Every structure is written in structure tokens, then in C-alpha cells.
Amino acid sequence: MSTAKLIINDKEFEFPVFEGSEHELAIDVAKLRSATGAIAYDPGYGNTGSCMSSITYIDGDQGILRYRGYPIEQLAEKSTFVEVAYLLINGRLPNADELDKFNKRLIKHVMVHEDIKKLFEAYPPSAHPMAVMSAMAISLSAFHPDLLDPEIIDTNIMRLLAKFKTLAAFCYKKSVGQPYVYPRSDLSYSEDFLHMMFALPTEPYHVNPVVARALDLLLVLHADHEQNCSASTVRMVGSSQANVFASVAAGVNALWGPLHGGANQEVIMMLEEIQHDGGDVQKYVNLAKDKNSKFRLMGFGHRVYKNFDPRAKILAKAADDVLNALHVTDPLLDIARGLEDAALHDDYFVERKLYPNVDFYSGIIYRALGIPTNMFTVMFALGRLPGWIAQWKEMHNDPATRINRPRQIYTGETVRDYTPIDQR
Ligand code: ACO
């Protein structure tokens, strides 16, 4: 085994070095503090491996993303979201019988308790669907108490996976004031979601297969992304042995921020702003470079990818295909293309290796599918759910898991005496 040497004040310490299955190197600093008295300082955790994981592999320099070893390009082309969910959660692709059983379990658990509908009623119609979604995710733990019994955990995982779709569609129905539509067992996962979103009691709703396939693709591409902000949050919360509903609800909240899953909504708002401002993309590229401005190109840049995000590549092409198949023209697509082109030829973006990320084109496809902008981040959550569950399960079953508890470097006042109020 190789080792890494660290010298602090002329004293030498040795730490084990190990490799992942793709030969990524890690220095094991678990004993750093007890051996040296020092801690590792790494704000934003850009260099910190928080766990060992066999779920998702990313090589950000090469633009590689694989779930359980399968390239995202192959899964996007050949697989379905339910199959990918099985793969992420169980570690391997299902055979036909396993997939059938998995689908049946999803159908069995898809309905939510009728009392959950009363919770929706308490929210104003203007509430952001992510606020409601987060509350609904944690509310499931009130309806399905979790014990640390493996069988109950497994059932609750299936409940969460099945019901999240119903809750997401109900969030939309609530926001537009339409009656909730109950799930159907004869439709595929994505078809059923579209049915619950768009069916009305007054007219029959036929799911367009192009729309269902496009949605399924989007969900597949969002299904996991290793230790990102929301997945790490799920693990962090779960490390205290909080149940899967509570941990995933925390993940929903982490996802909402505009630097993470909330970026898909921000991208469309940015493209609309550019459109209303006359469509001058260069003006906005310049603004993004201006250090006196807080403006950033939303949907650009990534902590891990310093090359094309492979999901963005797939979605850039899918955006064309879907809009053509649905005979939709969206001027925002042209603005997005112009913006991408201007940024990719600009030294600022080239030097910093800033490329479009998954959120850059996803919103344009969601718009074409009829999904409103304020639901985009809920759609991301729906896609990311199997990843969160897989990360939670791996963390929960790993004997090496300890409660997550980072250290800090204290920079406040040193000890001082309390002063009475009249002497301050
Ligand atoms: N527009 C303009 N400049 C940018 C952008 C951007 N979108 N992203 C990064 N930069 C610049 C930074 O200003 C910084 O420049 P500097 O070195 O001169 O100070 C440099 O590039 C590095 O950026 P950091 O913020 O240090 O990178 P970090 O890894 O911390 O952040 C993040 C990554 C949050 C994704 C960032 O690129 C960003 O804010 N992008 C826009 C929001 C977005 O699209 N988020 C979705 C991410 S994907 C996802 O979560 C699904």
C-alpha cells in the first residue's frame, strides 16, 4: 500500500493512500487530527471524499458519467426511468421478472393517503411547488412511520418512489386550482405522471408518446450525480439515522437553490430576460464576466465538469428532436444556442472551463412538454429521487458510516469576561 507523507513543523506523518476502481487516488486522513492535532480545511468540500460509493462514477475532465458502470449515453438511449431507478437502488439491471415485480410495487404504492390532500389545501395557490413538495416528502413519514427494520425500510423506499410522482402532480394541480387526478395502473411511470398533471375531468387525455419518452429521458439523465449538494445533504441527514423520508425531504430543500437544481428555472427566466431585452446574447456574456456584477450565466459551469456535461450534450440534441416532433418553435432555444456559442468562444469561459450543464437545455424541453417554469425544480427532484434513495440506502447499510460531523477553524473572539449591560 502506498502512503502520503505530511510534514508539520519538521515532524513527519504518514497516511495511507488508496485507489478507487477507476484509479482515483485518495489520502486517508481519518486519523489526521488524532495523529497531528490539525484538521483538513476544505470549504465547499471540493477535495473531500465523504464516503466510498459504488453508485455513480463521474470523470469531470473527460465528461464521463456512469450509473453503476453503465454510460449515461447508453442508458439515455436504451433504458427507462423505472429500470434506471431499479439499477441505482439495487446495484444491477433487473431481468424481465424483477422489473415487472418492481413496476407492480410502484403501482401498489402510488396512491397517497386521502388526508394528504388536506395538507395541500392549507397552502396558498401561489406557494412555490418546491416548498409544498418538501413538506409533502416529510409528511409521508407521518403517514408511514419508519422503524429501523429492513423490511419496513424497503417498503418505505418503494412508497417514497411511487408516491413522490403523485405528490409532484398534485403540487401542480394545487398551483393551478384544478382537481387532483388519481393515478392509473395501466400507464407507464412517465405516462401516468403526465396523465396526473394534465388530465381534466371534462375531457379525455391521451398521452403523447413523444412527450412521455422525452420526460422519461429527462428523468433518466437526472437520476443520480454522486456526492452533489442534495445527495450529500441526504447522506448528512441520514447519518443521524433519520428515516428515508426525512433525509430525502432535506435533499429536496438543498436542491431548490439556484446554484443547484433551481438553476433550471433560473435559466428560462434568464433567457426570457435576454429575449425581452432585444436578444443581445453578447451583452449578457459580458455581464457574466463583469466582476462588479452579480450576474452569472445560469446553466453554465459545474463544480465537477471541466468539460462538456454529458447530460447537456444529450439534451441539446433532444431539445431539437422534441421541438421538431411536437412542431413547437421556441425562440428561447435560439437564444440559448446563441448564448452557448458566444460563451464557448469567449476566453473568460474557455479559461475557466465553463460549459453548459444539465440545466441549460432541460427547461426548454420541459416548456415544450407543457410543464410550467415553477415546476422545473420539482421535475428535477422527481428524476433525482432514485439517486437520493440509493445514496441513503448505501449510507445506511455501510458499517463505516458515522454521524456526519465536520470540524471548523474557529476565528471568533478568544475568552473574555461577561460585561454587565450598563458597561457595554
Ligand atoms: N457565469 C459566469 N462565471 C462563472 C459561472 C457562470 N455560470 N460559473 C462559474 N463562474 C466563474 C466564477 O466567477 C469563478 O471565476 P473566478 O475564478 O474569476 O473567481 C470561476 O468561474 C469558478 O467558479 P466557482 O463559483 O468557484 O465554481 P464552483 O465550482 O464553486 O461553482 C457552480 C459551480 C455553482 C455550478 C457555478 O458554476 C455556477 O454558479 N453556475 C451557475 C448556476 C448553475 O447553473 N447551477 C447548476 C449546476 S448543475 C446542478 O446542480 C444540477
Side-chain angles (χ1 to χ4, degrees):
M1 188 187 21
S2 55
T3 54
K5 284 187 182 157
L6 176 69
I7 300 169
I8 306 178
N9 297 334
D10 296 333
K11 215 170 158 207
E12 195 173 289
F13 304 90
E14 252 185 277
F15 297 95
V17 171
F18 63 94
E19 269 188 30
S21 50
E22 292 285 348
H23 308 295
E24 327 94 284
L25 277 186
I27 304 169
D28 180 352
V29 292
K31 299 217 159 59
L32 178 69
R33 197 176 140 274
S34 57
T36 68
I39 62 164
Y41 176 62
D42 183 20
Y45 308 129
N47 305 288
T48 297
S50 60
C51 61
M52 300 221 200
S53 179
S54 59
I55 302 170
T56 290
Y57 174 68
I58 299 176
D59 181 330
D61 295 322
Q62 307 285 330
I64 289 172
L65 169 61
R66 296 182 200 135
Y67 299 159
R68 303 282 188 187
Y70 297 103
I72 192 67
E73 293 79 5
Q74 290 182 25
L75 293 169
E77 192 192 330
K78 298 179 180 156
S79 176
T80 65
F81 178 61
V82 170
E83 196 181 37
V84 163
Y86 185 102
L87 170 70
L88 288 169
I89 295 169
N90 296 302
R92 58 181 176 78
L93 284 171
N95 62 30
D97 185 43
E98 287 164 335
L99 187 59
D100 184 52
K101 284 196 179 119
F102 192 68
N103 262 314
K104 287 196 172 119
R105 289 184 82 192
L106 287 178
I107 290 166
K108 179 179 168 195
H109 292 297
V110 72
M111 304 256 275
V112 294
H113 195 289
E114 280 295 292
D115 285 347
I116 286 192
K117 285 194 335 202
K118 294 183 196 151
L119 302 181
F120 279 97
E121 273 147 38
Y123 286 93
S126 58
H128 194 288
M130 279 298 274
V132 182
M133 202 59 216
S134 148
M136 293 303 151
I138 186 61
S139 297
L140 286 177
S141 64
F143 288 83
H144 307 285
D146 205 306
L147 304 168
L148 292 176
D149 169 332
E151 251 181 61
I152 295 179
I153 288 176
D154 180 58
T155 305
N156 279 347
I157 282 176
M158 293 310 292
R159 285 182 173 132
L160 178 56
L161 200 57
K163 293 177 199 305
F164 206 84
K165 171 180 73 163
T166 313
L167 295 171
F170 281 19
C171 274
Y172 169 68
K173 288 298 198 190
K174 163 74 192 178
S175 72
V176 288
Q178 290 176 3
Y180 306 116
V181 173
Y182 283 55
R184 269 174 51 185
S185 59
D186 58 322
L187 298 175
S188 74
Y189 182 95
S190 291
E191 288 169 344
D192 189 32
F193 176 72
L194 291 165
H195 151 79
M196 285 194 280
M197 284 280 287
F198 298 122
L200 290 169
T202 44
E203 54 200 74
Y205 175 76
H206 300 292
V207 180
N208 180 336
V210 174
V211 173
R213 178 61 200 139
L215 173 62
D216 216 66
L217 171 70
L218 281 157
L219 298 179
V220 165
L221 294 181
H222 284 84
D224 194 50
H225 213 234
E226 51 114 309
Q227 307 313 316
N228 56 82
C229 175
S230 56
S232 303
T233 301
V234 169
R235 279 183 180 260
M236 167 75 89
V237 173
S239 76
S240 73
Q241 296 188 356
N243 67 57
V244 69
F245 303 118
S247 306
V248 164
V252 173
N253 293 331
L255 187 75
W256 192 3
L259 297 189
H260 191 13
N264 55 13
Q265 176 171 347
E266 299 287 327
V267 169
I268 293 297
M269 286 157 54
M270 173 186 76
L271 295 175
E272 282 172 343
E273 188 187 327
I274 298 175
Q275 183 189 30
H276 293 143
D277 195 22
D280 181 356
V281 291
Q282 192 56 49
K283 176 176 165 187
Y284 284 84
V285 168
N286 292 344
L287 200 58
K289 295 183 331 183
D290 181 356
K291 291 291 173 200
N292 295 318
S293 146
K294 287 213 163 117
F295 178 79
R296 283 191 162 200
L297 278 196
M298 298 313 286
F300 251 81
H302 199 276
R303 171 60 63 80
V304 181
Y305 293 118
K306 301 301 168 199
N307 194 327
F308 254 96
D309 177 339
R311 303 165 300 173
K313 261 193 195 166
I314 297 169
L315 285 181
K317 173 157 187 329
D320 253 348
D321 296 348
V322 172
L323 269 64
N324 283 339
L326 296 176
H327 310 292
V328 172
T329 41
D330 188 341
L332 295 193
L333 181 57
D334 295 332
I335 294 178
R337 291 249 157 75
L339 198 59
E340 176 185 348
D341 194 52
L344 293 181
H345 288 96
D346 191 293
D347 284 350
Y348 174 97
F349 289 85
V350 173
E351 279 160 17
R352 288 168 180 76
K353 300 186 178 165
L354 300 170
Y355 292 87
N357 60 50
V358 67
D359 287 326
F360 195 65
Y361 285 106
S362 64
I364 287 173
I365 305 181
Y366 283 132
R367 265 161 71 93
L369 305 188
I371 292 167
T373 313
N374 69 352
M375 277 292 290
F376 288 1
T377 313
V378 172
M379 301 307 299
F380 192 148
L382 189 63
R384 185 53 56 85
L385 181 64
W388 287 334
I389 292 174
Q391 299 284 346
W392 184 90
K393 191 176 159 188
E394 188 178 67
M395 177 276 314
H396 184 78
N397 292 336
D398 183 352
T401 297
R402 303 167 72 199
I403 187 167
N404 288 7
R405 206 302 186 187
R407 295 263 170 182
Q408 64 166 16
I409 297 294
Y410 176 69
T411 59
E413 299 286 347
T414 54
V415 66
R416 49 183 172 167
D417 287 325
Y418 178 84
T419 41
I421 194 156
D422 57 351
Q423 289 171 29
R424 287 176 216 160

